[in-house]
Amino acid sequence: MIGYQRLCKHEQCPVTRDGALNVHIIPHSHMDAGWVKTFDDYYYGTKSSVSSANVQLIYHSVLSELLHDKRRKFTFSETAYFWRWWKEQRGTTRATFRSLVAEGRIEFAGGGWVQSDEATVDYLQLLDQYTWGLRKLNDTLGPCGKPKAAWQIDTYGHTREHTSLLAQMGFDGLFIGRVEHRERETMIEEDKMEFMWRGSDVLGKMSDIMTHTLYNLYNAPEGFCFDFLCSDEPIVEDPDSKSYNADKRVNDFITQIERQAKYYDHDNIMVTMGGDFTYQSAANWFINIDKLINHVTTHPANMSDINIFYSTPSCYLKSVYLYGRRDKALYTEKADHLPYGSDVNTYWTGFYTSRPSLKYLSKRAHAFLQVVKQLSVLSRMGDSYELHLLRHAVGLVLHHDAITGTSQQRVANDFIRILSEAIEACSKKVSQFLSVLTPTWGGSRRPKNSQQFIICHQLNISQCRSNVLWTLEISSP
Ligand SMILES: [Zn+2]
């Protein structure tokens, strides 16, 4: 099942130790593609009075810190942000980034254009957003950039259909964060935090994927968030300092990870170190995690033999598959994990129908995308900037705070703007495609592409100009 490529040096995953508790530290940042700020505002850091999040700074800061120490690793996810950043980088920065990917020190998880919602989207929308994201990773980073772990850490419930798609796409495992609160209690009581999820009875094993429920949503253990967004104490390990706290802090950490280890049925555990838009100041995280790793390794409380190291989701999967010892077979799950309930009176079902206009526009834009893709191939005019805009818009709006309607009003308005502008641009492009495909013969017996087409998106409600030569109605599915 695991096809780790020698070229990409994934054999450099940390070495686990039999008999020890192997603790995989996973530095990562969850970057919503629009929520309280728009996609652009998050990327550039504008609207700082609303939120200080600044994605371009996270990329630069992480890159710089990884270069300081070869042990450090980092996991990125949302390809839409990566592509925005990549386009603005010089050749030397790109080469550095590529080499870190090849060394397995930067890893992409998921790799879709966004971390898509699963409840309000359909099969073909999912295929398009994964295709677009994974293609961009392949175009920029090559085979080493191919994600091996699916990463749905913040979506509001999960479907088996999505799971089936992930299994068929060849992911080695799936990581999820949000599970209905009673279901989670059962999982903890019955050792089901990891399970084999069968996406389809018809496809059988082809639709199986090993699924890991993250212990702490996707955040750092309590008291160990080393971001300027948090107020947790840094680790001080100089015994001459009056602020020395390393022993106490490490005791707290060991207590937490030993508690977590009880709920996973083998000798590897995964500790996410990050959160929403963390690592803008990556030095703060890495300096403290370095100290944590050093001190846990040498601390007298480490009686149970803890082997702790920087890791990635794919290295965790590799350890569990190849070296992990499990006492019993994995439980097989065959149901959806919907609706998501965060506590007794809080079930996240309103988003199935909220912001219906945005949901409708998203479906309609996706249907139009199929038309534009097919005409661009038939007319042999190839990829275009306009088609890129529409692929971006259609993928972006599947983000779990976009089509769900959980973003702020001005952000929802921006999603509608992005979709509308992309549709408008592609409508003009489609006119060109049709013109090329229906040549008329001029006096010199040479074909002339002179026919004009106007795309009317409101033909069914009689709002089209009547004096146009051709109209084309694009219906939603
Ligand atoms: Zn999110």
Side-chain angles (χ1 to χ4, degrees), residues 46-259:
T46 42
K47 295 280 185 299
S48 54
S49 59
V50 178
S51 156
S52 56
N54 183 327
V55 169
Q56 61 175 349
L57 211 52
I58 295 172
Y59 268 90
H60 284 293
S61 186
V62 166
L63 192 57
S64 164
E65 285 307 311
L66 290 179
L67 296 176
H68 284 160
D69 190 329
K70 278 189 171 298
R71 293 174 307 168
R72 295 173 177 175
K73 296 176 187 286
F74 196 82
T75 299
F76 287 105
S77 179
E78 298 79 3
T79 310
Y81 277 130
F82 166 67
W83 174 244
R84 174 65 65 90
W85 178 80
W86 184 262
K87 281 194 303 180
E88 297 177 350
Q89 303 314 306
R90 293 182 301 179
T92 48
T93 309
R94 290 181 177 186
T96 304
F97 196 92
R98 269 200 205 100
S99 68
L100 288 168
V101 169
E103 288 168 18
R105 295 175 55 208
I106 288 180
E107 176 165 311
F108 277 82
W113 199 238
V114 294
Q115 249 172 72
S116 173
D117 176 52
E118 299 181 32
T120 63
V121 301
D122 63 43
Y123 178 90
L124 288 174
Q125 285 177 305
L126 285 171
L127 285 186
D128 273 341
Q129 85 94 12
Y130 274 106
T131 302
W132 190 230
L134 293 169
R135 187 191 295 178
K136 284 295 183 196
L137 289 181
N138 190 49
D139 290 349
T140 50
L141 304 174
C144 300
K146 182 182 173 188
K148 297 170 184 64
W151 194 246
Q152 290 290 97
I153 58 174
D154 192 31
T155 43
Y156 313 136
H158 306 277
T159 65
R160 66 184 306 214
E161 187 58 49
H162 182 253
T163 301
S164 172
L165 286 175
L166 294 174
Q168 291 174 73
M169 280 189 262
F171 284 103
D172 293 335
L174 162 65
F175 294 86
I176 59 175
R178 296 185 185 273
V179 176
E180 196 260 353
H181 68 102
R182 285 175 310 177
E183 183 69 35
R184 185 183 171 82
E185 284 169 15
T186 306
M187 289 166 124
I188 284 180
E189 281 169 17
E190 299 179 7
D191 283 343
K192 292 177 179 171
M193 292 291 275
E194 286 182 343
F195 54 91
M196 188 61 74
W197 202 346
R198 176 155 294 183
S200 161
D201 291 330
V202 176
L203 294 172
K205 285 192 173 181
M206 268 179 65
S207 64
D208 282 356
I209 191 163
M210 204 280 263
T211 305
H212 174 103
T213 312
L214 296 173
Y215 183 70
N216 201 24
L217 189 52
Y218 49 83
N219 298 312
E222 193 177 346
F224 292 89
C225 173
F226 300 114
D227 208 275
F228 72 89
L229 301 169
C230 316
S231 53
D232 296 342
E233 289 279 300
I235 295 172
V236 182
E237 59 178 358
D238 177 359
D240 295 333
S241 169
K242 292 286 180 216
S243 302
Y244 179 84
N245 63 7
D247 282 351
K248 179 179 181 308
R249 302 283 278 128
V250 164
N251 278 339
D252 285 351
F253 186 78
I254 289 177
T255 303
Q256 290 195 55
I257 60 174
E258 287 187 335
R259 188 186 311 136

Side-chain angles (χ1 to χ4, degrees), residues 416-465:
I416 290 170
R417 176 192 66 78
I418 291 169
L419 280 171
S420 304
E421 289 179 1
I423 291 170
E424 176 66 23
C426 278
S427 296
K428 291 177 184 153
K429 201 70 191 169
V430 164
S431 300
Q432 290 176 22
F433 294 151
L434 291 172
S435 188
V436 168
L437 286 167
T438 55
T440 54
W441 295 94
S444 60
R445 304 302 296 165
R446 289 204 178 126
K448 292 199 305 186
N449 300 326
S450 58
Q451 297 202 78
Q452 291 191 344
F453 293 81
I454 292 178
I455 310 301
C456 176
H457 293 279
Q458 281 109 25
L459 191 62
N460 58 338
I461 52 172
S462 305
Q463 285 192 7
C464 297
R465 285 165 53 193

Side-chain angles (χ1 to χ4, degrees), residues 30-35 78 115 153-156 178 218 276-277 399-401:
H30 178 65
M31 300 186 239
D32 290 307
W35 179 39
E78 298 79 3
Q115 249 172 72
I153 58 174
D154 192 31
T155 43
Y156 313 136
R178 296 185 185 273
Y218 49 83
D276 288 356
F277 296 99
H399 161 55
H400 56 271
D401 287 312

